[in-house]
Amino acid sequence: MEPPVLVLVTCNPDMTGYGGFPWPESGPVEPPESYPPFIGLAWGEGTTGVLNLFPDSHWLVCRVDAEAITDQGGRYVKFSRGEVVHCGDESSARSYLAANRS
């Protein structure tokens, strides 16, 4: 079994994401069955085009089982469940990723 992957995602200032999905500041996260998979950057690497880059965005780091990730050609990843382990701004999220890189 591969170790978990840390995935960087962003959401709006009100903690909602695509389609109004309410992201928690911490803990388990899983969308309803009718909802598309989440999109983010494994270890913070890939195209920033999938991130909300507004200054007041929340930057989340999710711990995701490697088996639950679908790589999209190195540009971004998709996943349907994980655990939010960090919520902050871009700097704090990137620092968290760097400090916890396996």
Side-chain angles (χ1 to χ4, degrees), residues 13-64:
D14 66 356
M15 294 298 292
T16 60
Y18 177 80
F21 179 81
W23 281 88
E25 289 188 26
S26 65
V29 61
E30 187 171 354
E33 284 186 29
S34 61
Y35 200 81
F38 300 129
I39 294 175
L41 304 180
W43 302 107
E45 299 172 1
T47 180
T48 58
V50 300
L51 300 177
N52 180 337
L53 300 176
F54 291 107
D56 53 356
S57 301
H58 288 281
W59 291 64
L60 310 175
V61 177
C62 295
R63 182 182 304 122
V64 181

Side-chain angles (χ1 to χ4, degrees), residues 56-79:
D56 53 356
S57 301
H58 288 281
W59 291 64
L60 310 175
V61 177
C62 295
R63 182 182 304 122
V64 181
D65 290 337
E67 296 79 22
I69 289 178
T70 305
D71 184 11
Q72 301 297 299
R75 297 175 299 140
Y76 60 92
V77 296
K78 292 183 178 183
F79 63 102

